[in-house]
Amino acid sequence: MNSETKFAKVKIEGVFNLEEFSEEYEMTPEEFLNFHNKHCSFQELLTLSLPKYVEYVYIPRDKFETRDQKLLKSTILNLPVVSSEKTYGVVIKFSPKNLQIHYRIKIKRTPFHLELTKEKTYVNNQEIDKVIEQLFEKAEQVLYPLQISVKKDGRLENIINHEQIANRWKTDCLPKMKDYYQSETTDQILKQLDLAYANLNLKKEMFERNIFYKLFFLPVYKGYPNFFMKDFLQIYFSSLSRNAGYAIEYSLHKEYTKGNKIALKITGTEDEDGFNKNSSKGKIDLLYKFERETREIFSINGYLSTFEKGEEYIIEFQAYEQKHSQSI
């Protein structure tokens, strides 16, 4: 298409849908047909009752260029290799427990690793006040700053600073907590934590069971042939102490969003197993948005569900990049 032409010649893949095509280029079917028939050869003339196969169509050049700017040029999402610092607000709601937790997590990215720092957790908009929850919150803070490496598809690979974390736990946190929390229950919890912190790379299932780490480090950085891919996903429901498995579909949006982001939809239905045979099945419905240039995660929004004894258990999840002035 040279600068002199007023039209673009567009190759059609598969069956041509007049209404969908016209809408994509912000034209009515009549406007499109009038323009096409004015610029095509006699053999290419079209009517409202189209033949099943159309090889090429002609559209106004400005309409083509406007739409072309909105389209992804590749169906491959590559792992970000930039250096940046971002803060994400995280809100997680659990039903039917009617429980909501929220916190901020800072992520410092380099081309080689990520460093995460998690701020205080709030439960139902209040600071944590229950003894066991306080214990876990204090123990969790030993993890941070947490330096990790990730695989090419975005999955968590290794805890780089696991020795530093183990040292913080042994020399500072554990002695203080033993003095402060003195009961059989807390003793058992501290023993389990002691084993986990000895070498976190041997206990990476801790992160698999944490819904933030599971979803933020989902293997989304890969190719999506025809903007689509099928997969299988397991999600841990802490309130039920078990995993739920889902047959999922990734659907990469062909156009950038109105906010100029890349959108990836993940939907799925729970597989049948011993827990849900002959009963309702849970669902997954998540929307990921990525920065157009860097491919960094901008937001994750959606829900996951499963059933237990006829009751639906739902995890609603939001993680979104915050500007410094925002609060959650």
Side-chain angles (χ1 to χ4, degrees):
M1 184 179 69
N2 63 52
S3 59
E4 300 299 316
T5 57
K6 294 179 180 178
F7 62 82
K9 188 176 179 181
V10 179
K11 185 170 175 60
I12 300 301
E13 304 290 345
V15 177
F16 181 64
N17 185 309
L18 174 62
E19 285 75 20
E20 283 183 11
F21 184 87
S22 303
E23 188 179 344
E24 284 175 0
Y25 287 93
E26 298 179 350
M27 303 170 75
T28 66
E30 292 77 14
E31 284 173 335
F32 160 71
L33 284 175
N34 287 337
F35 187 91
H36 170 85
N37 289 339
K38 184 178 175 182
H39 294 90
C40 70
S41 65
F42 177 75
Q43 295 91 334
E44 295 173 310
L45 286 170
L46 297 175
T47 63
L48 278 170
S49 55
L50 292 167
K52 288 185 178 178
Y53 178 71
V54 177
E55 188 174 8
Y56 290 100
V57 296
Y58 298 82
I59 60 169
R61 184 176 172 220
D62 60 340
K63 298 281 188 186
F64 173 85
E65 290 178 348
T66 298
R67 174 156 169 75
D68 189 59
Q69 289 171 6
K70 298 177 183 176
L71 293 176
L72 268 68
K73 299 300 185 284
S74 171
T75 59
I76 299 170
L77 279 181
N78 289 315
L79 185 73
V81 289
V82 296
S83 295
S84 68
E85 289 188 39
K86 294 182 181 294
T87 299
Y88 293 89
V90 180
V91 181
I92 310 168
K93 295 179 183 177
F94 300 90
S95 300
K97 290 178 74 176
N98 198 26
L99 174 71
Q100 175 184 296
I101 67 170
H102 78 259
Y103 54 84
R104 285 191 189 88
I105 192 157
K106 295 178 181 176
I107 300 182
K108 187 176 180 180
R109 181 185 293 276
T110 77
F112 312 104
H113 71 271
L114 301 176
E115 183 174 286
L116 289 78
T117 306
K118 180 177 172 291
E119 296 183 9
K120 187 184 292 187
T121 300
Y122 293 85
V123 177
N124 294 337
N125 295 316
Q126 303 292 321
E127 290 191 20
I128 289 171
D129 58 2
K130 292 179 181 175
V131 171
I132 299 300
E133 288 175 354
Q134 283 181 345
L135 185 151
F136 277 113
E137 172 78 357
K138 288 174 183 174
E140 187 190 45
Q141 284 304 313
V142 176
L143 285 173
Y144 303 102
L146 175 70
Q147 293 178 344
I148 63 171
S149 61
V150 294
K151 297 180 180 178
K152 284 186 177 180
D153 61 8
R155 280 179 296 168
L156 191 152
E157 184 176 41
N158 278 312
I159 313 301
I160 296 170
N161 63 334
H162 66 93
E163 290 180 356
Q164 289 175 308
I165 293 167
N167 189 52
R168 285 201 292 265
W169 170 253
K170 280 284 188 192
T171 60
D172 184 38
C173 188
L174 181 59
K176 287 178 182 174
M177 292 177 85
K178 275 184 173 177
D179 283 345
Y180 189 80
Y181 298 102
Q182 295 185 351
S183 74
E184 283 187 29
T185 304
T186 55
D187 281 351
Q188 282 298 111
I189 293 169
L190 290 173
K191 281 177 185 175
Q192 290 172 352
L193 288 167
D194 197 34
L195 286 171
Y197 283 133
N199 188 342
L200 282 170
N201 280 318
L202 300 177
K203 293 286 183 179
K204 280 188 286 194
E205 70 270 12
M206 283 172 50
F207 297 97
E208 278 282 304
R209 291 182 169 191
N210 179 299
I211 193 66
F212 170 80
Y213 283 93
K214 182 70 177 183
L215 296 183
F216 200 89
F217 296 101
L218 210 60
V220 293
Y221 293 103
K222 52 193 171 187
Y224 296 91
N226 299 315
F227 296 90
F228 183 81
M229 176 175 277
K230 290 187 175 184
D231 206 348
F232 183 79
L233 178 62
Q234 280 201 320
I235 297 292
Y236 184 75
F237 282 77
S238 56
S239 56
L240 300 173
S241 300
R242 67 169 174 85
N243 283 310
Y246 303 82
I248 62 168
E249 295 180 349
Y250 292 96
S251 179
L252 186 64
H253 291 205
K254 294 180 181 179
E255 292 187 23
Y256 296 107
T257 68
K258 288 181 180 177
N260 213 22
K261 303 288 188 279
I262 298 168
L264 178 70
K265 188 84 169 168
I266 303 174
T267 55
T269 303
E270 190 176 5
D271 265 13
E272 188 166 286
D273 59 23
F275 293 103
N276 63 22
K277 199 167 185 178
N278 304 318
S279 68
S280 300
K281 309 293 187 291
K283 303 277 186 189
I284 281 185
D285 192 331
L286 297 166
L287 180 64
Y288 282 65
K289 290 183 182 178
F290 305 86
E291 298 291 352
R292 177 170 176 166
E293 301 303 327
T294 66
R295 305 305 200 244
E296 291 173 279
I297 289 174
F298 172 73
S299 66
I300 305 170
N301 207 320
Y303 74 91
L304 316 98
S305 70
T306 188
F307 283 82
E308 176 92 351
K309 296 177 181 175
E311 186 165 29
E312 188 174 20
Y313 287 74
I314 304 169
I315 302 173
E316 294 176 63
F317 184 88
Q318 292 180 58
Y320 47 95
E321 186 186 338
Q322 289 191 305
K323 303 306 175 192
H324 294 299
S325 59
Q326 285 181 301
S327 61
I328 58 174

